[in-house]
Amino acid sequence: MPLNRRTFLKVGSLAAAATSLNVLAEPEQAPAPKSANDTIQLALIGAGIQGQSDTRNALQVPGVKLVAAADCYDGRLTHCKELWGADVFTTRDYREILARPDVDAVLIATPDHWHKQAAVDAMKAGKDVYLEKPMIHVYPDGPEIISTARSTKRILQVGSQRVSSVAYAKAKELLASGAIGELNMVTAQWDRNSSIGAWNYSIPLDASTETCDWPRFLGSAPKIPWNPEQFFQWRKWSAYGSGVAGDLFVHLFSGTHFITGSNGPTRAMATGGIRYWKDGRNAPDVLLALFDYPQGFNLSLRVNFVDGGAESEGFIFTGSEGTMEIAGQTVTVARVPREKEPGYTVSTFANEMQKEYLAKYRQKYPDTPPEGSTYTAIEKFSAPKGYSDSVDHFRNFFSSVRTRKQPVEDATFGFRAAGAALLSNMSAEKGSVVKWDPQTMKLG
Ligand SMILES: NC(=O)c1ccc[n+]([C@@H]2O[C@H](COP(=O)([O-])OP(=O)(O)OC[C@H]3O[C@@H](n4cnc5c(N)ncnc54)[C@H](O)[C@@H]3O)[C@@H](O)[C@H]2O)c1
């Protein structure tokens, strides 16, 4: 058996391993590629709603095993053992997981304010990382995550699963092939008309400072007394979450950037407010934002937690010769060929002028049957029933872990999506236009 990290590093006890983490030098070499027969040992950091759902998806990829989980609420650690076996190692302190030599990769699904620290700590401990979106909570997180991925030679993939979707791949191919002509506008929305949609997640009946590690949850956030709402519904407060921009716009940016090949917008203007959910949250429940893209199109985004309409997530890409709509995992292209003649508006002119104008017009544009200008060809592409882009996103991640090739959504892509999304919060707060350089990933 070849010597690998797991067989080479034997640490006597976890306590010893945890202590030794602090003195481990940053890994300078990437691990050797793994064969398809090697099992990838995965650990979960942040075993909440998405962490558990991600783990289910990750374990559908052959050759992947969950060996450990960290969380700040004991009930979720208990449930990890119920779901994946009593031998899954559980802890409140993720550093104990990072010190384990039997962990190859970690899946980080903590609240946003922990993303950077957990990802950087994991990469420095030699682990590859699947990091949930939004990659950043504040702008300085971006360069730190990117540079740590580079210096440690670890794989870091961000968790906007649409980037691995077959439907989005089809949309990208269609746009590139000119299916809708020249792209000039993208509109997208992710509306939710429900209490759960507005982040009012259930608080367990045993929630207390005994069962929840409140100081660890707070981390770098302002120290405040125990607050179960803030622990379990953290998205509602900017100390931990990034509002609808970081939660939902970021998916729309990942999709837009993947499909168009753009690195991001140069200017953003946004407005919003807390219109309905006046429950103590400080994150708006309505947010509208507009962006300029240097490729010559505009993007408009909307999230609305308030209206009486249906929940919806979708895009419309408008081109010079049609539209391409994405709804869920279905792409619909409506091709509307450009008109062959410009038309006329002469009916208000004097009769003689109308006659003369029309005669000249028809010389230039001979009368043709009306086929063409009103013709709309509709084509529809749907992912197969039961298709999961999340499973494909994990398939792509584990493939990178094995081959050491850059993942489909690396840290730079993740920063460009999250950095663009957070412009909306900044613009709405300032009440003014904000600028961003999508190439250098710096605020203007
Ligand atoms: N890709 C997607 O479609 C998608 C969907 C939902 C959520 N997410 C992302 O997943 C992340 C988690 O969201 P969620 O809905 O699962 O939240 P959640 O509150 O259900 O779970 C977060 C868990 O992290 C734990 N935690 C907090 N600090 C920790 C720490 N220092 N160490 C270990 N565990 C810690 C909490 O105890 C909690 O159980 C968020 O960043 C969110 O944006 C992504």
Side-chain angles (χ1 to χ4, degrees):
M1 187 166 74
L3 262 191
N4 61 23
R5 207 152 28 90
R6 202 178 304 149
T7 52
F8 183 66
L9 281 171
K10 284 227 163 91
V11 183
S13 74
L14 270 180
T19 320
S20 71
L21 175 70
N22 302 327
V23 293
L24 276 182
E26 226 172 81
E28 283 169 5
Q29 278 195 330
K34 274 174 178 284
S35 85
N37 295 330
D38 287 329
T39 299
I40 294 174
Q41 308 233 75
L42 180 69
L44 171 61
I45 297 177
I49 298 171
Q50 185 66 5
Q52 293 189 16
S53 164
D54 274 345
T55 303
R56 278 195 193 89
N57 289 322
L59 296 181
Q60 286 190 43
V61 181
V64 178
K65 185 177 180 220
L66 183 77
V67 294
D71 200 275
C72 297
Y73 167 50
D74 293 344
R76 284 183 166 148
L77 294 176
T78 304
H79 198 47
C80 283
K81 283 183 181 284
E82 289 165 354
L83 288 170
W84 295 297
D87 57 342
V88 171
F89 170 78
T90 57
T91 173
R92 286 178 168 189
D93 182 355
Y94 72 66
R95 290 170 304 175
E96 287 192 55
I97 280 183
L98 300 185
R100 287 178 71 104
D102 64 345
V103 171
D104 300 303
V106 295
L107 190 176
I108 299 171
T110 60
D112 306 354
H113 72 300
W114 265 106
H115 283 185
K116 186 266 294 178
Q117 200 53 50
V120 165
D121 288 347
M123 290 187 283
K124 287 189 172 167
K127 314 301 180 194
D128 293 324
V129 173
Y130 182 102
L131 175 58
E132 262 306 342
K133 46 56 52 176
M135 188 180 98
I136 63 164
H137 184 229
V138 290
Y139 281 93
D141 293 350
E144 196 177 336
I145 295 175
I146 292 171
S147 66
T148 308
R150 280 193 193 132
S151 65
T152 60
K153 300 190 173 56
R154 296 304 114 169
I155 299 294
L156 182 134
Q157 176 170 301
V158 179
S160 298
Q161 62 275 26
R162 305 290 186 268
V163 165
S164 291
S165 156
V166 291
Y168 282 57
K170 187 73 200 173
K172 184 179 178 71
E173 179 195 314
L174 284 164
L175 187 69
S177 71
I180 59 166
E182 270 175 46
L183 180 67
N184 50 52
M185 187 171 81
V186 183
T187 54
Q189 86 288 334
W190 198 316
D191 293 336
R192 289 171 161 184
N193 175 35
S194 68
S195 180
I196 298 293
W199 306 325
N200 297 311
Y201 299 140
S202 307
I203 297 172
L205 303 177
D206 66 351
S208 74
T209 49
E210 294 292 303
T211 58
C212 298
D213 191 335
W214 177 239
R216 196 183 299 280
F217 172 93
L218 284 177
S220 58
K223 307 284 171 256
I224 59 164
W226 163 240
N227 184 318
E229 280 77 26
Q230 299 213 7
F231 190 105
F232 288 97
Q233 301 173 351
W234 53 265
R235 281 174 175 78
K236 297 181 350 189
W237 290 277
S238 57
Y240 327 105
S242 322
V244 297
D247 200 36
L248 301 171
F249 278 8
V250 74
H251 280 295
L252 303 173
F253 276 106
S254 305
T256 301
H257 294 180
F258 174 72
I259 290 166
T260 63
S262 172
N263 283 338
T266 50
R267 293 200 321 153
M269 296 136 267
T271 185
I274 302 171
R275 305 301 177 201
Y276 179 80
W277 293 103
K278 298 183 177 144
D279 54 3
R281 68 181 66 202
N282 63 19
D285 55 12
V286 168
L287 194 65
L288 306 162
L290 304 172
F291 304 86
D292 291 342
Y293 273 74
Q295 287 74 20
F297 66 89
N298 287 92
L299 170 69
S300 107
L301 299 182
R302 183 185 83 212
V303 163
N304 161 14
F305 284 173
V306 176
D307 80 6
E311 308 218 354
S312 70
E313 171 206 346
F315 288 91
I316 296 179
F317 291 79
T318 301
S320 52
E321 293 176 38
T323 58
M324 179 171 73
E325 183 175 0
I326 306 181
Q329 299 288 352
T330 297
V331 184
T332 308
V333 171
R335 295 177 205 253
V336 185
R338 300 295 307 178
E339 57 204 355
K340 294 205 171 65
E341 53 179 274
Y344 45 81
T345 57
V346 298
S347 62
T348 54
F349 301 165
N351 286 341
E352 273 311 305
M353 176 53 70
Q354 290 191 35
K355 265 193 220 154
E356 194 184 329
Y357 190 101
L358 282 176
K360 287 204 167 132
Y361 183 88
R362 280 295 161 226
Q363 272 171 13
K364 199 166 173 191
Y365 303 105
D367 224 353
T368 49
E371 56 83 44
S373 61
T374 54
Y375 172 69
T376 303
I378 295 189
E379 293 162 55
K380 211 169 184 162
F381 305 87
S382 286
K385 213 164 181 260
Y387 171 75
S388 163
D389 51 10
S390 300
V391 175
D392 265 357
H393 208 41
F394 278 105
R395 221 185 295 282
N396 284 335
F397 171 62
F398 293 123
S399 161
S400 289
V401 169
R402 287 186 193 285
T403 61
R404 311 313 298 168
K405 294 209 176 104
Q406 275 306 302
V408 59
E409 190 182 1
D410 66 7
T412 304
F413 187 105
F415 186 29
R416 286 189 166 128
L422 297 195
L423 296 176
S424 330
N425 290 343
M426 193 180 285
S427 171
E429 276 158 27
K430 282 188 173 175
S432 64
V433 169
V434 292
K435 291 189 177 164
W436 168 250
D437 184 332
Q439 214 49 45
T440 60
M441 298 171 277
K442 291 200 167 108
L443 289 164

